[in-house]
Structures are given as C-alpha cells and as structure tokens.
Amino acid sequence: MKKSVEKLSSEKSSSLTESLFSFKRYFINNLDSYHGEYVLREVSKVLQKNAESTQQSSAIVVGEDVDFLPQVIPEQPYEIIGTVVDPKVKTLDNVARIVPKSECLSQMLTCGTVVLDISYDREETAIATDYLQLLKELLEKQIPLNVTDVDNDDGGGESKKRYLILISTLMTWAVTKPLDPDAPEMPFIESDFRKRKYHPNYKIFYDIENEVIGIARKYKSQIGAIVVGCGVTYGGREDVLFYWFQKAWECEHLLPLLGRGGNVIPLINVQDLAQIVYNLIMDFPKKLYILAVEQNVTKQREIIKPLGRIVGSGMFKCIPAEDAFLIPEINQRIFDLMTLNLNMEPTFIVETMGLQWTSELSFAENVPALIKQFKKERGLKSFKVVVYGPPIVGKTTLSKLICEAYGLVYISPETVVQDLMEDLTWRVNHWDVGETAALPHTTGGEDQSVAADSEDNGEEEGVQEAAKQTLATLQSGRAFNDDEILTYLRQRLLCREALNRGWVLDGFPTNLSQCSVLFDKGDEPDSDTGEENEEEPFDEDVDLYTNVLKKILPDIVVSLEATDDFICEKAMRQPEGDTRLGEEAVLKRLGEFRAGDARDVTPLNFFDELDIHPLIVPVKEHSDYCMKTTYAAVALRMGRPCRYGKLIAQIEAAERKEKKDLDTLRAKEALVIAELEKKMKEEREEKMEYWSELYALMREEEEAALAVAGEPVRNYLVTHIFPTLTTALLEVAKVRPDDPIDFLAEYLFKLNPSGKMLEPGYNLQAEKLLGKIKILDEALKELDIQIEPLMPPEDDVESTSKKGINIMSAL
C-alpha cells in the first residue's frame, strides 16, 4: 500500500512538471507586427479545428487497491502565446496570453511549436540567439526519443517532438555568385542554400540560420527545425513597399526608382507567407531550408511603374541608389531589400506543398486589388464636397479651410485653367528631360536595354502630343467660354489626384444644365480599380445612377444661406483692393443667383434626386471672417480627417515630435522665467534694503531739521513766556479762584498793561534807543544836513528815489 502511494505521488509530480510544457502550445513573436497579424490569423485555424472536434471522456475505473487506480489526466487545450511590439497591446483575439519580451525565453521553452520571425525586426536576433543557446542546453539534457516515434511524426501537434520555424530574410543570399556565369539569370533553388553568401549587414542573420540548421541536424530525434527564406512581403497595409504605395496614392509628381530598376526582387504576398507557416505546422517536412517566394520574376521597375500608372501620376524618375537615403522614409532595411538582385525558384512550396496562391497574377496585374486592400487597411477615404451659396458669403474661405484640414484638392472655375497649365507644364518639361537624366551615362548593353525598356514603357507619344497641344491652348491667353471651362472642370475631377485624395468644388455648378453636363456618365468607366459595388441595389435604385458618373458624384453638398442685407453689408465691410466688388456688381451677381436659385430650378434639386441631400448652413455672423463656425458644422457631418499628406503612423510620429518639442520649449521657458523671477527677487531685496537705509537716513535728517527749526521757538518760550506765565500759574495754584482763566488773564494784564512784553523783539532798552534816535532825527532836520543813505553800491539812485526810502529809516 505504501509503495502504491509513493508511486501515485511520483506520478502527480511528473504530471505537474509536464503541465509546464505543452506540445499543443504555440509561440509567435511580434503578434501585432506586419507579419505577425497574418501568421496569427492562419495559426488560429488550429484552435478552430480542434474546438469543433468532440472531446472523448475517459472512463474512470475504481479498483480495490490504489495500485490499480488509473490516472485521469485532463486533456491540454491548444493555445497561442507570444510577444508584441507595442507594449500598450494587452489582449488579442485567439491569444491565450501576451508574454513580455523580458520573460519570453522561459515561456518559449514551454511551447511545442515556436514560430520565430527575425526578418521584420533586427532586435529579434538577440532574442533568437539567446533562445537557441538555451534550447541547445535543454536538448543536451533530454533523452532522445525512439526511432519509431520519429518515424511516426506527423507534425500536427500530436507528436512528442518540438518544432522550430525560423522566418529569415533573403539578404543572407545578397552577394551569392550566379550558378552559371554564362547564364546569370539562372534561378537559385532550396538545395543551393549552402552556397549562399550574406550581405555584410546581415551576418547575424546568417549565423542564426546556420545555428538552426545545426540544431535540426544534431537533435533531429528531439526537434524539427527549419529555416524559411522569406522574400519581400507585400499586401494589406504594406511594409517595404509602403513608401511607394503612399506616394502613388498621394499622386506624388515623380515616383523614384533606385537606379535603373532592372534588379530582380523576390516577392511573396504576406498571406501566402502565413499559409506556408500554417502548412509547416500541420505537416512538418524533413527539410532544412525552404524558399518563400513567388514563381513570377519581378523587377523593381515592374513594381513601381504599375503603381504610378494605375494609381499615381504616371511619372517616374531614376535616381542614383546612394541618393535614396536623401528620402526620409527610406531606411537601410528598405534600401537593402529594394536593391536586392536575386532570381529564385520555390520548388518545395510549389511541387511538394502545393501552396494555394492568394493570387496567381503578376504584381502589375494585381495592383488594383492591392490598392483596394491598402485603402481598407489604412482607412483611406476620399471626401468629395460641393460648396454652393450666394456671392461673397464665404464659399472660397470655407472651401480652402476644408482642403487644408482634410488634405483635399481645391477646384474652382477661376483656378482650373491655371492648375491644368501648371500640371501639364511640369509633365512636358519632364518628358523633355527624361526619367534617367539623373543617372550617369553608360554604354553597357544591359543598361541600354534597361533604358530602352524604360522609355518604351513611358507615356505614349499620342498622349504626350495631346498634352502639348492642350498646354499650348491654355497658354494662348484667350478667354475661355463656359463650355470649355466645364470641360476642364470635368477633366480636373477625373484626374488621379482628385480621385484618390478627394476634392472640394467651390461655387459650381450654378444651374441644372451644368450639373447634367458635369456629372454625365458618357463613355467614362465608373471604376478602374475593381471597386464596383458588389451589393445588390434596391429595386427603386436600379436606374438611379444610369446617366451619371458615380465616381465623381459628391459625398456632401454644402449650401450656405444668407440674406440680401447680410450680403450687401458684408460687401461694404470688405477692405479696399482689386478684389472688392462695387455696389452695382454685387447687386447684379446677387440678382442672378436668386433667379437661378428658385425652388423649381435650383441645382440642389439635381443632388436631391440622387439622394445626396444638401447640408444647409446659415451664415449670420459678420465677425466670423474665417468661417470657423460654418466649418465646425461641415466637419461634424464629414467626420474625422484622413489627412492624406501624412498617413496615420507618420501623423502620430509628427504629433509626438511636436509635443516633445513643445514640452522642451515650455521647460526652457519655465527655466528662463524662474531665473528671471529669481533675479528680480534679488534686485527687489537689494532695492528694499537700500530704500530702508535711505528712509532711516531721511528720518534722521528730518528729525534734525525739525529740531533746528524749533530751537528759536523754544528759546523764545523759555526766555519771554515761561518766566511770566510760570509766576501767573503759581499764583493761580495758590489762590484757586472760581474762574481760573479769567483770573490768569487779569493777572497777566497787571504784569504788562501795554501788552508789549510778550512781543518777540520788545524790551525796555530797545524802547529807550528808539526814543533817542527820534530826537536825533528831529535835530538833523532843523540843521538841514544831507546824509546819504546806507544803500548797496549796485542800486540805482533813481530806483531809490522812486521807492521813497526814509534816510533815517535806512540808518
């Protein structure tokens, strides 16, 4: 009994150890990357397939002895785990858990199948190197399986072997010499992987591939390992080719070709790559290296030129390969892959695997479908807006505001001729220069053939001749009639730039006849990129778009409404200048608009009948010169801008950089303000200290001045007042009369009856002296003696006589 319990406990511990490792657990790195999304979508089919299968319940047999008790092991579910590039991603569909990259190595060792993609992110090579080292140490300690187990291996997750699928880059073949020097176009196949020569920048990839191949050879009874040489992936939201897809969609004037574009680039649709990984998981082959490339041989110019002709402006420019780094969007990885020159043939996935290709068409033939996928993945939408309203109401201001915010093309009858003239001018100039003008001239036969091929695939001579004739007509300077303007407007609406990015038509059409001609279907195809509406229309809508060209119909018609008084007052408020209209011109244009905007003849009826109901926006504020209020109402109807000038990832990067710069600027401003406040505080403290000292000094001087000023008064009081007054006050204190004030007054009067004693300059000696002077003055008058007055020498005698100064008084 004791032995049975020990045996049961040992079995439980072993089952606990095995629960840490599962052959039904799949690890995929970078689940949210360009490759990871599609690989996850395909590998998830394993989960769906096993979820549909019924699980058989095991019967429990109860015995009398524990030795005979069968162990019931719960069936382990299939699950997918992996890492992500964006740390903000917390959950993904069909993913059991997301593993942080710092903890991924230990988790990878618990998975039966590991899909390790190092072709997309160079930083994954460090994780791959560490994982392979730990894997080798683990395989050294494990006991090899029996040969029968290896032979019965079906690769579907039910066997007892580990599996490792390494997705690497073909840059490890970049400098491989041709198999036959006389036939350099002979393709490489899987069995030539031993002859591959790596690009100097990709030695680490080459070493990791050899490490995986070495593990597959040495531990083939314990693990199945394979290297997948992946070509340049495309499709969906794009990766390496994203720059050319973006610039083609934005109708960049000239799409760049790196060199002459004659190098062969091995391509693979990202969905085909995901299917290859899924097929390897379900039926793991006895192979060491396979090629994941397409059968079609595709050159660089056969990738870029179809994009430009079908989607973009159709104009190209060959630039030296080294000048590619002058383009900010092209990094080292994109440059390496776009200048790769390898002709490869995928024998295994075609002959043995029997891969069902996503599309058997060539890249050029598949461009319309790829553009449709690109638009869907990137959320691109082309807004088409017509702005209608009376004159001077603000249609042009609103139209340009919408174009700037949404990245649309501005079209108006006043500017259409100038826009077409500028477009045709640079086209004709480029045709005269040639797309290979920037490249050095060579005399090699191959370069000449490439150049000839490039010229043959250029614009047709008929198209060039028609463009030159149209340009000559536009440059003639003559006035164009309404029919010609209407033709140019329709031509502008149908150009690639307007169809891709969208447009705003300012102040046109103005009547029903112009609507019919402008949007007439004619011989123009309604869609040239395979975007026909696949939904079945309602019975009432079958004939709705029979006579109109649906691809240039507006999505939104904005009708601005304003009263005549508002229009006239706004015209008066306009500043003086060449564009200001006179009163008669304003009233004339306003009258013509009101006549054409009657209820039964207004062009808005044309759009109403096509279920494009106008957005009525009243304009009432004279102060809103920028039309911000009106734009807010239109933007609410249109929704979030796509901003085609910068796609989403670049917008976010630019916003982050702008925010960082703003934060840095604010930090600098805060530092400067803090330093300025500190300096001002120190200056204020110094000034306060100086002012305090100055104020104390002034107080001292003021007190001294007051003391000096009060000295004569004090002397006078002490000398003349206080002696007499003191005697009087002592007498009052002795007598204590009923009326002290009256008693004091009478007492003082007795002491000085004449009242002169209290005068400042009075005394008896002075009074006697004045009496003697008076007697002397009378005696001098009797003797008639003239005595000159004591006057300053500078005073004039005349002025003295005028003043009438007494001689004796002067003395």
Side-chain angles (χ1 to χ4, degrees), residues 219-239:
Y219 307 101
K220 64 179 179 180
S221 62
Q222 300 167 263
I223 185 172
I226 193 170
V227 178
V228 179
C230 175
V232 177
T233 51
Y234 68 92
R237 58 188 175 97
E238 299 301 332
D239 173 32

Side-chain angles (χ1 to χ4, degrees), residues 106-391:
S106 59
Q107 296 293 328
M108 292 167 69
L109 294 175
T110 65
C111 299
T113 302
V114 175
V115 180
L116 193 55
D117 185 2
I118 63 174
S119 65
Y120 186 82
D121 189 358
R122 181 177 286 269
E123 295 180 359
E124 295 298 309
T125 57
I127 296 177
T129 303
D130 295 339
Y131 169 69
L132 293 177
Q133 182 65 28
L134 293 175
L135 182 62
K136 287 173 64 177
E137 295 177 359
L138 180 63
L139 294 176
E140 287 285 351
K141 298 176 182 179
Q142 287 183 349
I143 302 175
L145 299 175
N146 296 328
V147 181
T148 56
D149 295 335
V150 179
D151 295 338
N152 295 331
D153 179 19
D154 59 356
E158 299 293 340
S159 66
K160 300 302 180 182
K161 286 180 59 176
R162 294 175 179 267
Y163 294 99
L164 172 60
I165 301 174
L166 179 72
I167 303 176
S168 184
T169 176
L170 288 181
M171 290 305 298
T172 55
W173 296 66
V175 294
T176 307
K177 296 181 180 180
L179 299 176
D180 186 358
D182 297 332
E185 68 279 358
M186 180 181 295
F188 295 100
I189 58 177
E190 279 91 350
S191 59
D192 299 325
F193 76 92
R194 298 176 185 84
K195 302 176 182 179
R196 68 191 192 283
K197 302 295 181 183
Y198 57 86
H199 188 280
N201 295 338
Y202 292 84
K203 183 180 185 302
I204 183 65
F205 294 85
Y206 180 80
D207 295 338
I208 292 175
E209 291 179 5
N210 289 338
E211 192 73 19
V212 172
I213 294 173
I215 290 175
R217 290 180 183 276
K218 186 175 181 180
Y219 307 101
K220 64 179 179 180
S221 62
Q222 300 167 263
I223 185 172
I226 193 170
V227 178
V228 179
C230 175
V232 177
T233 51
Y234 68 92
R237 58 188 175 97
E238 299 301 332
D239 173 32
V240 176
L241 300 178
F242 169 76
Y243 169 75
W244 284 271
F245 271 81
Q246 174 193 353
K247 294 306 178 182
W249 176 256
E250 295 176 356
C251 282
E252 184 80 7
H253 281 183
L254 299 172
L255 277 183
L257 282 82
L258 308 185
R260 298 185 180 274
N263 55 303
V264 177
I265 301 178
L267 299 177
I268 181 69
N269 194 302
V270 67
Q271 297 179 10
D272 293 333
L273 175 63
Q275 289 184 28
I276 292 172
V277 174
Y278 174 74
N279 292 339
L280 292 176
I281 290 176
M282 299 307 298
D283 186 10
F284 203 88
K286 295 181 180 179
K287 295 280 291 182
L288 297 175
Y289 197 104
I290 65 171
L291 292 174
V293 296
E294 292 181 349
Q295 292 177 283
N296 300 321
V297 177
T298 308
K299 298 181 179 181
Q300 182 195 157
R301 63 172 175 269
E302 295 172 353
I303 297 174
I304 299 176
K305 289 204 169 184
L307 279 174
R309 292 198 181 99
I310 298 176
V311 184
S313 63
M315 307 294 286
F316 311 94
K317 180 180 181 181
C318 296
I319 62 175
E322 57 274 9
D323 290 352
F325 293 106
L326 300 177
I327 302 174
E329 293 84 354
I330 297 181
N331 54 27
Q332 185 66 50
R333 173 173 172 264
I334 296 176
F335 173 81
D336 292 339
L337 292 174
M338 290 302 293
T339 55
L340 186 64
N341 188 14
L342 285 175
N343 188 4
M344 315 197 84
E345 184 176 346
T347 57
F348 176 78
I349 63 175
V350 174
E351 299 174 0
T352 306
M353 183 179 292
L355 179 68
Q356 297 295 324
W357 299 99
T358 302
S359 176
E360 296 184 356
L361 301 176
S362 64
F363 183 90
E365 297 170 338
N366 207 23
V367 164
L370 294 175
I371 284 294
K372 186 176 180 180
Q373 294 177 7
F374 180 72
K375 290 169 56 180
K376 182 179 179 181
E377 292 288 341
R378 293 290 178 177
L380 301 179
K381 183 179 179 181
S382 56
F383 292 100
K384 291 166 286 186
V385 184
V386 169
V387 180
Y388 175 79

Side-chain angles (χ1 to χ4, degrees), residues 629-647:
T629 306
T630 308
Y631 168 75
V634 177
L636 184 63
R637 175 76 172 271
M638 295 177 66
R640 180 180 180 272
C642 292
R643 289 189 277 183
Y644 297 102
K646 299 177 181 178
L647 295 183

